[in-house]
C-alpha cells in the first residue's frame, strides 16, 4: 500500500469555524485594551482631532462620563494625557497649570472608583519648548528633569491614578519616581515604564493632539534609535532594576521582536503601545478603500498579543467598545 501523503495535514485544524475557534492560541478582548485620552480645560469639550483619528480631546466632565461607559463595556483601562491651556513656567509649581487636569482625574475617580486609571508623566505637553525634559539653551538636561517628573507623578498619584507612566526617556526616572511616590506615601501607585521608546516618525498625530511637538531640534538625544536591539534590552533591564511594575514598548508593530525579547527576558507584565501613526496608517488605507479597517486592526492587535503583550494601548479601544 502506498504511504499516505502528505502525512501531516494542518488543514484538519482549520476545517470549520468551530474547530478554528477551539485551537486559537491568543485573543484580543476589550479587557486587554487601554484607551488614551487627551484631557483639556473647560466644560462639555468632546472633539476628535479629525474624523476617525481616534485621538479624543475631552474636558473633565465629559471624560468622567466616557470613562464610566468604557469601564462598564469592559475596556481594560484608560491612559490620560493632560493638555493644559497655559504652559508651565519653570518658576511655578506644576500643580498650578495642571489644576483643572488634576480635578478631572479626581472627578473620574469619584464617578468610577474601580476603573484602572493610568496617566502619562512627561513635560512635553506642559512646556513652550515641547521637549520631554528641562531645557538649558539647546540642551535637554537629564538630572534637573527628574525632580520635576517626580513632582508630577506625586500630583497624579494623589489625584487618584493607579499607575503613572513616565514617557520622557530620561535616565534614572523610574528610580526617582519610585522614591518620590514612596516618600509621599503613594506606595500602592505603580509605574508603567516606557522602557523601550523609539525616536519615531509615527508620533505625528499625537503631537498635534497633545500640543507637544518640539519647538527646536528633535528627541533623538533621549529617545532610542530604532536600529539598536541590544541597547533596547539594556533600557528594559534598567527599568526593571529601578522598580518598574509594567514595561511598555512603542511603537508596537515595528518592534514585535523587542516585545518578544521582553517577554522572554523579564517576568513583568508587558504593554505594547499602538501609537497614533500606526493607527493613522490603517485608517488612511481603509479610507482609500485599500483594506478593511476592522479586520486589519484586529490582525495587528492579535500580532501584539502573539508577540507577548499582555496589554495594548490603542486608539481603537473605545470604538471596539461600541462608543461613537
Ligand atoms: C510624549 C509622548 C509621545 C507619545 C506618547 N507620549 C510623543 C512623543 O514622544 O513625541 C506618542 C504616542 C502616540 O503617537 O500615539 N512623551
Ligand atoms: Zn514627552
Amino acid at each position: 500500500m502506498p504511504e499516505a501523503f502528505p502525512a501531516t495535514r494542518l488543514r484538519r485544524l482549520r476545517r470549520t469555524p468551530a474547530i478554528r475557534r477551539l485551537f486559537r492560541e491568543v485573543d484580543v478582548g476589550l479587557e486587554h485594551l487601554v484607551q488614551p485620552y487627551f484631557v483639556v480645560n473647560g466644560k462639555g469639550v468632546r472633539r476628535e482631532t479629525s474624523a476617525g483619528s481616534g485621538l479624543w480631546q475631552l474636558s473633565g466632565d465629559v471624560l468622567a462620563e466616557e470613562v464610566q461607559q468604557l469601564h462598564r463595556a469592559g475596556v481594560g483601562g484608560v491612559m490620560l494625557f493632560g493638555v493644559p491651556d497655559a504652559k508651565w513656567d519653570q518658576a511655578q509649581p506644576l500643580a498650578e497649570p495642571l489644576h483643572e487636569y488634576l480635578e478631572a482625574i479626581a472627578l473620574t475617580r469619584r464617578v468610577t472608583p474601580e476603573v484602572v486609571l493610568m496617566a502619562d508623566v512627561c513635560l512635553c505637553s506642559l512646556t513652550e519648548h515641547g521637549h520631554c525634559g528641562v531645557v538649558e539653551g539647546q540642551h535637554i538636561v537629564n538630572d534637573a528633569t527628574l525632580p520635576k517628573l517626580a513632582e508630577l507623578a506625586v500630583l497624579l498619584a494623589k489625584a487618584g491614578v493607579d499607575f503613572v507612566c513616565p514617557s520622557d526617556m530620561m535616565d534614572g526616572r523610574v528610580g526617582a519616581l519610585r522614591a518620590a511616590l514612596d516618600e509621599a506615601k503613594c506606595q500602592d501607585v505603580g509605574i508603567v515604564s516606557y522602557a523601550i521608546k523609539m525616536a519615531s516618525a509615527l508620533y505625528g498625530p499625537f503631537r498635534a493632539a497633545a500640543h507637544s511637538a518640539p519647538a527646536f531640534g528633535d528627541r533623538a538625544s533621549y529617545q532610542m534609535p530604532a536600529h539598536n536591539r541590544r541597547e533596547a534590552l539594556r533600557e528594559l533591564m534598567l527599568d526593571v532594576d529601578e522598580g518598574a511594575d509594567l514595561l511598555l514598548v512603542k511603537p508596537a508593530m515595528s518592534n514585535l521582536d523587542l516585545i518578544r525579547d521582553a517577554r522572554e527576558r523579564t517576568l513583568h507584565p508587558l504593554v505594547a503601545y499602538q501609537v497614533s501613526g500606526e493607527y493613522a496608517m490603517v485608517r488612511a488605507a481603509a479610507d482609500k478603500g485599500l483594506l478593511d479597517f476592522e479586520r486589519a486592526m484586529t490582525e495587528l492587535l492579535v500580532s501584539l498579543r502573539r508577540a507577548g503583550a499582555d496589554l495594548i494601548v490603542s486608539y481603537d479601544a473605545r470604538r471596539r467598545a461600541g462608543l461613537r
Side-chain angles (χ1 to χ4, degrees):
M1 237 191 5
E3 245 181 82
F5 180 84
T8 303
R9 292 181 183 272
L10 292 176
R11 288 185 58 187
R12 287 172 196 141
L13 302 181
R14 303 173 197 151
R15 198 166 50 80
T16 69
I19 290 172
R20 292 195 292 273
R21 176 76 216 135
L22 192 59
F23 301 120
R24 184 173 276 186
E25 295 176 35
V26 294
D27 234 328
V28 184
L30 291 177
E31 70 273 24
H32 303 122
L33 300 181
V34 173
Q35 172 71 40
Y37 283 112
F38 302 91
V39 186
V40 296
N41 291 356
K43 281 217 180 313
V45 182
R46 188 174 183 288
R47 57 175 176 252
E48 195 173 22
T49 55
S50 61
S53 74
L55 301 161
W56 288 88
Q57 296 175 324
L58 309 180
S59 55
D61 52 340
V62 178
L63 177 76
E65 252 175 56
E66 214 177 288
V67 168
Q68 184 174 52
Q69 279 180 284
L70 279 191
H71 179 70
R72 286 186 177 155
V75 171
V78 296
M79 182 173 289
L80 304 178
F81 295 87
V83 190
D85 292 343
K87 298 290 185 186
W88 167 61
D89 110 47
Q90 298 202 8
Q92 208 185 19
L94 276 164
E96 282 176 29
L98 291 179
H99 179 74
E100 271 199 62
Y101 174 47
L102 297 170
E103 298 252 287
I105 292 173
L107 176 66
T108 305
R109 170 57 70 217
R110 278 200 302 282
V111 171
T112 317
E114 329 78 39
V115 69
V116 179
L117 291 180
M118 307 181 178
D120 187 62
V121 173
C122 200
L123 300 184
C124 54
S125 297
L126 312 179
T127 50
E128 289 294 346
H129 54 66
H131 277 290
C132 302
V134 168
V135 166
E136 275 170 25
Q138 301 281 98
H139 184 61
I140 291 82
V141 192
N142 195 87
D143 295 11
T145 302
L146 302 182
K148 290 294 147 199
L149 297 171
E151 183 184 338
L152 178 53
V154 170
L155 290 171
L156 295 165
K158 295 210 156 150
V161 305
D162 300 292
F163 294 93
V164 291
C165 314
S167 65
D168 51 281
M169 294 301 278
M170 298 299 122
D171 287 317
R173 74 218 201 272
V174 173
L177 259 56
R178 187 69 270 157
L181 289 167
D182 291 353
E183 170 82 26
K185 305 229 169 355
C186 300
Q187 60 283 339
D188 293 335
V189 172
I191 298 177
V192 178
S193 169
Y194 283 63
I196 303 176
K197 178 176 180 178
M198 301 303 183
S200 171
L202 300 174
Y203 305 150
F206 172 100
R207 289 180 187 174
H211 303 160
S212 70
F216 64 88
D218 57 30
R219 305 209 200 288
S221 78
Y222 43 105
Q223 298 181 346
M224 275 212 47
H227 315 64
N228 291 357
R229 173 172 176 240
R230 283 178 284 127
E231 187 180 342
L233 298 179
R234 293 185 76 194
E235 281 284 4
L236 198 70
M237 300 326 288
L238 208 56
D239 288 1
V240 168
D241 286 345
E242 290 182 26
D245 298 283
L246 287 83
L247 302 166
L248 184 149
V249 178
K250 82 185 248 195
M253 82 172 150
S254 50
N255 294 301
L256 288 170
D257 57 332
L258 299 175
I259 297 172
R260 172 52 51 192
D261 281 336
R263 182 63 294 140
E264 286 171 1
R265 282 161 196 255
T266 73
L267 298 171
H268 289 52
L270 292 183
V271 188
Y273 194 148
Q274 182 186 58
V275 301
S276 57
E278 295 177 72
Y279 197 71
M281 287 195 270
V282 182
R283 172 60 65 199
D287 286 350
K288 282 195 149 191
L290 297 173
L291 49 76
D292 179 76
F293 182 85
E294 186 77 38
R295 288 183 52 218
M297 186 52 61
T298 299
E299 184 175 330
L300 293 173
L301 294 172
V302 163
S303 76
L304 302 177
R305 293 273 297 150
R306 195 188 66 232
D310 298 290
L311 302 181
I312 302 170
V313 181
S314 170
Y315 299 96
D316 210 35
R318 67 182 290 293
R319 201 193 59 81
R320 285 176 175 259
L323 273 70
R324 289 290 170 264

